[in-house]
Amino acid sequence: MAQRMPQASDTVRELSVEEIRAKFGTGMEILDAEEHMLLSMGPQHPSTHGVLRLLVELDGETVVNVAPDIGFLHTGVEKNMEAKTFTKALVMTDRMDYLSPMTNNMAYIMAVEKLLGIDITPRAQVIRVILAELSRVSSHLVWLGTHALDLAAMSVFLYCFREREYLLDIYEMVAGQRMMVSYFRPGGLWRDVPDEFEPAVRHFLDFFPAKIADYEALLDRNPIFLARTKDVGVISGEQAIAWGLSGPSLRGSGVDWDNRRDMPYAGYEKYEFDVPVEQVGDVYARYRCRMREMRESLRIIRQAMDRLPKGPVNIDNHKIVPPPRAELGRSMEAVIHHFKLWTEGFIAPDGYVYQVIESPRGEIGCYLRGNSTNKPARVHFRGPSYVNLAALPLMAKNRFVADLVAVIGSIDIVLGEIDR
Amino acid sequence: MGIEQKLGNLGVVTYRLEDVVNWGRTNSMWPMLFGLACCAIEMMGAQAANYDASRFGMELNRPSPRQSDLMIVAGRVSRKMAPVVRRLYDQMPYPKWVIAMGDCASCGGVFNNYAIVQGVDEVIPVDVYVAGCPPRPEALINGIMTLHEKIRGESLDKWN
Amino acid sequence: MTRDELAVKILNENLPGVVESVSDFRGERTLIVPKKRIKDVGRVLRDDPALRYNFLSDIVADDYLPDYPRFAVSYHLLSLPHKHRLRLRVWVDDPDDGPETMAELWPIATWLEMEVWDLMGVRFAGNGSLRRLFLPEDWQGHPLRKDYPLGYEEVQFSFNWQEIDAKKPYAKE
């Protein structure tokens, strides 16, 4: 089943109306092929946030129909994970939703831990929450910067990336990598956080609220930004549920649902925070939701920092967690565990689990099946961006092409997670 | 106005045309706004406040291939994307250069599977490879510096 | 009565004998139902006021290759009012004769089923937009099936550089 390699002579053709009908089926009904214009937007387009391609049917400047054509970043993550052991497959999850690698790690690692039936230590739990919330903030910063850039507010981008660099420095401090962290491991963490971690996070908590106020000052009274976001891309609460929207896109439509509060995991029930909900369901409401969410994340991080318990970060089951380096010179058992773990990995029982957590984009779910081997038999991710993208035609119909750009930005898609 | 008052009468400078042209090319390079995956975020980081790629005359990212002369392939290239990358490359006017940013674009990286082209050099010619997954903005800037060095050594008739 | 038990009870009252078996693993409940009746089950679960599973979270297809029936399709449902998750599962022996589409109940199902068809090749009856979504249009096969190779390309080292280099289709420029 070898596929033909792409050749230098390959070109990308414009599709004819018949070909589009054959390809998209009922996914793209062309109402008037004679009068309307068919526009292919992407895959290389500055405001599609990656390599999304949209097929747009236009009546003048009004969008009549729009169908997403995805897969330009299809990476085969799910297939590739089946060929690796549970621990090694972790590196794939970072590269899916590359704006918030920590929450991806968390979904996968919690699924592995659920499959194995193990609990982790309180310290690891709290550190995971801190890092997942920092990840939410850094992801929202990239979203805000690029969304504002799409709507012609250049300076917000520069401010957002300046603060994001600080968060990346924290990641680098704990995990040694700026983006692809792979820091959460089955049974705990890669290693404990360094001593500088706590002052660095506290410093961030001190200076960041003023920065959020700065961003809001730049956007909230900017007439161009308001005109391009208010009452654009409206979706009602019932529709949002029916189309499976999640995260800020769902809460922007007045549906009060957050997995962290309503179906708590990783000890979120112990923190006090509000879930921002906006009623209107337009681009501006989703923007407000995310801005308020950043403040709530800071609240969670502050509470977590105050109650960060002392103790080990890994469980002492050395069938799953490698023994400490220092023990390798002393104990034969530790050497055997180390060798077995890094050559073979651990064996997961038969069975399947589904773990859902709240990523910055919404509900990320990990379906994991073990079959008594050291490799996952099937991994599947519910990418929130993938599901949210399906509602794009609903929001963009009968609006201008320029609004399409605002709507794409507002549902905060990451193509790595859509295509996987 | 500025510097010319301090310099006095400069007179005539003789120099090799090739060096002047290459110097010009290195200092106003317009990369194409073309992000594929994770590395694109670090590419954006390289252009944002902390790393500031405009120090090297490349703050302008052109979304149109017809106005750009540097293609930074930032991220993994899938089988479906490869013909598009090729077409974008063909649309760029001469002279043009390519940087393969990151492991995936250089050699496939961790994704050795059915969906990913094992290195963008199977589709388009690459001038500089930048290693890292993803490379830090400093690494990308180092790659750009390496490309500048390469351009300084190019002869004028290369692009005829 | 827990919500897990309530779902089984109400289903058995409305559609007698529809729950073929129930499995519990790590605190998650799975209801295995016949393929032909999946839509009726979905309708009861969505509309019954005591259940209200109004959010279709995910559709996953799984391949148990040496076994028969070979494919399993799981529907992950979430009840927003009652804060409960439930998994429905059907066994599919012939991938071309898959379960009926759930698009009438949850519109998002069309989109989720497209992914399942593209990567696993399970065809959903009544879904008119099944197409190559992630892969190029002329792609053959469904990569997530167990009999599909990973497509591993041998890594070039200095000792086998020439051998592999000869096979690479470089751009001729």
Side-chain angles (χ1 to χ4, degrees), chain A residues 96-108:
Chain A
M96 259 182 2
D97 178 355
Y98 36 81
L99 293 187
S100 66
M102 292 281 189
T103 42
N104 276 309
N105 282 178
M106 198 158 164
Y108 172 69

Side-chain angles (χ1 to χ4, degrees), chain A residues 369 371 377, chain C residues 62-71 91 145-147:
Chain A
R369 175 162 73 88
N371 60 350
Chain C
D62 205 335
D63 184 2
Y64 288 79
L65 177 60
D67 299 346
Y68 187 85
R70 183 174 160 186
F71 296 99
W91 289 99
R145 288 189 180 178
K146 293 284 178 207
D147 52 1

Side-chain angles (χ1 to χ4, degrees), chain A residues 273-313:
Chain A
F273 62 100
D274 295 326
V275 176
V277 179
E278 299 278 336
Q279 300 299 329
V280 189
D282 57 358
V283 174
Y284 186 73
R286 295 190 274 276
Y287 154 79
R288 286 301 318 154
C289 263
R290 293 202 175 90
M291 296 304 277
R292 286 167 62 194
E293 232 172 54
M294 284 205 263
R295 290 214 173 84
E296 295 303 324
S297 288
L298 294 187
R299 259 175 87 187
I300 298 175
I301 298 168
R302 193 166 283 126
Q303 292 170 42
M305 291 304 286
D306 289 342
R307 68 174 69 156
L308 186 62
K310 294 267 178 291
V313 292

Side-chain angles (χ1 to χ4, degrees), chain C residues 34-101:
Chain C
K35 188 181 75 187
K36 290 211 166 50
R37 304 183 69 182
I38 180 74
K39 212 160 152 185
D40 302 334
V41 174
R43 185 162 283 128
V44 171
L45 289 177
R46 189 191 66 162
D47 293 340
D48 193 282
L51 300 174
R52 299 282 298 132
Y53 287 93
N54 53 353
F55 190 91
L56 176 62
S57 182
D58 204 356
I59 301 180
V60 186
D62 205 335
D63 184 2
Y64 288 79
L65 177 60
D67 299 346
Y68 187 85
R70 183 174 160 186
F71 296 99
V73 178
S74 307
Y75 298 80
H76 293 96
L77 304 180
L78 166 64
S79 165
L80 296 184
H82 299 300
K83 302 183 181 175
H84 187 252
R85 284 180 194 279
L86 186 73
R87 184 188 296 119
L88 287 180
R89 193 164 237 242
V90 292
W91 289 99
V92 178
D93 39 13
D94 177 8
D96 286 328
D97 179 26
E100 216 175 324
T101 175

Side-chain angles (χ1 to χ4, degrees), chain A residues 23 26 70-71 79 82 114-115 259 262 352 354 363 367 369 377-378 380 382 386 418 420, chain C residues 26 28 57-58 61-64 83 85 87 89 111 115 129 131 133-134 137 143 145-146 148:
Chain A
K23 183 174 174 217
T26 52
I70 58 175
K79 181 81 175 175
E82 290 171 13
K114 201 181 206 180
L115 185 66
N259 282 308
D262 295 320
Y352 41 88
Y354 187 69
E363 182 176 312
Y367 171 91
R369 175 162 73 88
R378 174 86 168 91
H380 173 86
R382 178 209 199 263
Y386 173 72
I418 291 178
R420 295 190 293 279
Chain C
R26 309 287 186 219
E28 292 179 4
S57 182
D58 204 356
D62 205 335
D63 184 2
Y64 288 79
K83 302 183 181 175
R85 284 180 194 279
R87 184 188 296 119
R89 193 164 237 242
W111 186 243
E115 181 192 347
S129 17
R131 58 172 156 109
L133 194 64
F134 295 108
E137 284 136 60
R145 288 189 180 178
K146 293 284 178 207
Y148 192 95

